[in-house]
Amino acid sequence: MARYISLYSGSSGNCSVVEENGNFILIDMGKSARATNIALKELGLDIKNIQGILISHEHSDHVSGLRVFLKNLDVPIFTGAATADYLRYNSLVPIHTEIFDMDYSGINIGPFYVKGFETPHDSVCCMGYRISSEKGSKMAIATDLGHVTAEIFENLNNVDLAVLESNYDEHMLKYGDYPYYLKTRISSDRGHLSNVQSSETTLKLIQNGVKKIQLCHISNNNNTPSLALGQLVKQALTKGIIIGEDAQVKVNHRNEITPSTEF
């Protein structure tokens, strides 16, 4: 079976792996190349088997490790056209690195088939990804989005594993020490998903038959894993859904590897 593994996930950096039979793709790289390499080594993944790197968008917590990581590697990047231009113009990747445009129609990356979809975020371009393994299992990931569109829900639906942002707790953001402009940005339709918004979408997915969910990009300053999961459990009870029985839910760790999920 294929498996999904978050290497680290949160406001300080995001990176995850989709792997099957030793071949794998990375999704984002928002911490140092050293941190990423250590995590891959711990997982026993051979760097020679990287098929490509999917980039959601250009913000530093998703791309800061790319340039050093790719310095001596010929690994292609797949992302939106505007993000590709940004990475090139700002020298965030080595000049030898090939960058391919994900045009929403789907592409084969090694043994995986990957389709991108647009997510609303205050970046030059932002994408979620739906990934099919060689054996036909499916997962989707959507992070850094201010609201869930019909297209996003369609791509998260009917998969074996859905990974969705649950970035901030509304009370913590409102009464925290962030400046007003930043609070407004985070809570906007092109910012991030709150625990409430994430839970609403997650429960709809569970009602549609999605059995495995992972919550990602938990804010360091405006959320906690227990608050994100607690909000989901609270809302689930009102719909007669029992988390742990009707669906398996994990919260991705901020600064360490989250145990793998097979899909």
Side-chain angles (χ1 to χ4, degrees), residues 20-21 28 31 54 66 124 137 142 158 167 201 207 220 224 227 263:
E20 187 173 43
N21 297 325
D28 291 330
K31 287 189 178 182
L54 307 177
L66 283 176
V124 297
S137 57
N158 295 318
N167 180 253
T201 300
Q207 288 174 322
N220 295 350
T224 67
L227 282 172
F263 69 92

Side-chain angles (χ1 to χ4, degrees), residues 127-181:
M127 299 183 76
Y129 294 100
R130 186 175 172 110
I131 303 166
S132 300
S133 75
E134 195 168 27
K135 295 182 179 178
S137 57
K138 299 181 291 293
M139 69 151 292
I141 181 169
T143 183
D144 293 66
L145 61 160
H147 65 283
V148 178
T149 64
E151 180 189 16
I152 292 169
F153 186 83
E154 180 182 347
N155 279 283
L156 290 171
N157 200 19
N158 295 318
V159 294
D160 301 291
L161 168 66
V163 183
L164 180 64
E165 173 178 76
S166 193
N167 180 253
Y168 68 94
D169 172 77
E170 293 176 346
H171 185 272
M172 286 186 71
L173 180 65
K174 181 177 180 180
Y175 294 103
D177 58 5
Y178 275 13
Y180 177 75
Y181 82 88

